[in-house]
Amino acid sequence: MGPTSGNPPIKLFIADDHPLLRIGLRLAFESIETITIVGESDNGFDTIEKIQKTAPDVALIDIDMPGLSGIPAIRVLRKVLPAMKILALSTYNDTNYIKNAMQAGADGYVLKTIGIDNLARLIEAFHADQPVVSPYLVNLSVDLTPEDVQPDLPVEALTHREMQILRSIAAGKNNKDISTLLFLSIETVKSHIKHIFRKLHVNNRFEAVIAAREAKLID
């Protein structure tokens, strides 16, 4: 498989917690001139950080990773890099997983039984916005009802103290740092963070920062 029309290779990022799978993909893609791997990770937190630095064209993200799993990582990345193609990678051909991936913003849901040549064709097709048909690609609209699509929820106003803590989170401070900075107990900090997550409709610190920036609460 060679490059087409002199176009530069598609920049691919691989996120999966199994090192043998990442090694296998890396070695396999070395012989495919249309695709180059620009980075890899084994958990959701590193995935978000590294993808923002490498800015790939396509990200292949395992939905089941330790720490921050693939679904919330996809949700954050879809907001940060809306033009990037995201393919959820999974061993599960399960409706709930598929719906969760679609709601998070995945462009495709690929089963791990796929071979390297078929995977390369899928990546090329998604990158070129071409229609794709493959037995290894699950249609993300399958059995989806209007009730399954979650609309954006309004952001509830944060208190002055919650805003202080949110800005500290955005600055990369942990709970102990925030406790010392604001003269609060760690338990009080944790309680405020729970309230922040609830009001912003998020599940973790990364999502909180993204949601706050989108709502123009912080720069």
Side-chain angles (χ1 to χ4, degrees), residues 79 155 200-202 206-217:
K79 294 177 179 179
V155 173
L200 295 181
H201 313 293
V202 299
F206 272 109
E207 291 184 6
V209 173
I210 296 300
R213 285 175 177 164
E214 287 192 335
K216 302 188 184 304
L217 298 176

Side-chain angles (χ1 to χ4, degrees), residues 6 19 24 51 54 69 76 78 97 105 111 122 138 148 155 170 198 203:
I51 282 181
T54 56
S69 68
V76 172
R78 175 52 66 218
Y97 282 106
L111 300 177
L122 282 182
V138 180
D148 292 317
V155 173
R198 177 182 59 79
N203 300 308

Side-chain angles (χ1 to χ4, degrees), residues 129-215:
D129 291 319
Q130 296 173 349
V132 183
V133 177
S134 169
Y136 305 101
L137 178 70
V138 180
N139 183 354
L140 290 185
S141 65
V142 64
D143 295 331
L144 192 70
T145 64
E147 291 76 21
D148 292 317
V149 180
Q150 300 175 348
D152 290 336
L153 299 172
V155 173
E156 187 177 340
L158 302 184
T159 66
H160 175 68
R161 180 66 79 190
E162 289 166 351
M163 283 301 303
Q164 287 180 311
I165 292 174
L166 179 59
R167 291 190 186 98
S168 296
I169 291 173
K173 298 185 184 302
N174 58 33
N175 289 354
K176 185 177 180 181
D177 294 335
I178 297 171
S179 170
T180 302
L181 179 67
L182 300 180
F183 303 101
L184 300 171
S185 71
I186 289 182
E187 289 306 314
T188 299
V189 171
K190 289 180 179 178
S191 177
H192 280 304
I193 290 175
K194 280 186 180 179
H195 293 156
I196 292 169
F197 287 179
R198 177 182 59 79
K199 290 181 177 182
L200 295 181
H201 313 293
V202 299
N203 300 308
N204 56 66
R205 299 164 95 94
F206 272 109
E207 291 184 6
V209 173
I210 296 300
R213 285 175 177 164
E214 287 192 335

Side-chain angles (χ1 to χ4, degrees), residues 101-118:
M102 193 205 72
Q103 290 170 355
D107 295 292
Y109 187 100
V110 183
L111 300 177
K112 287 188 177 181
T113 50
I114 192 169
I116 189 64
D117 288 338
N118 285 324

Side-chain angles (χ1 to χ4, degrees), residues 1-95:
M1 189 181 304
T4 59
S5 305
N7 293 329
I10 298 166
K11 296 184 292 183
L12 176 68
F13 189 97
I14 299 172
D16 194 285
D17 62 325
H18 291 91
L20 287 180
L21 184 142
R22 297 197 313 274
I23 292 170
L25 288 176
R26 193 189 319 133
L27 292 174
F29 278 117
E30 285 181 357
S31 63
I32 299 176
E33 297 179 6
T34 53
I35 298 170
T36 182
I37 296 177
V38 295
E40 58 184 69
S41 61
D42 62 4
N43 66 80
F45 290 112
D46 282 349
T47 298
I48 294 170
E49 181 180 355
K50 291 180 178 179
I51 282 181
Q52 290 185 85
K53 292 179 180 177
T54 56
D57 301 307
V58 180
L60 192 63
I61 301 179
D62 182 14
I63 64 170
D64 188 16
M65 293 187 291
L68 185 71
S69 68
I71 296 296
I74 290 171
R75 187 178 297 114
V76 172
L77 289 167
R78 175 52 66 218
K79 294 177 179 179
V80 175
L81 297 170
M84 180 181 68
K85 300 298 182 182
I86 301 176
L87 300 181
L89 184 64
S90 178
T91 58
Y92 309 112
N93 190 355
D94 179 271
T95 301

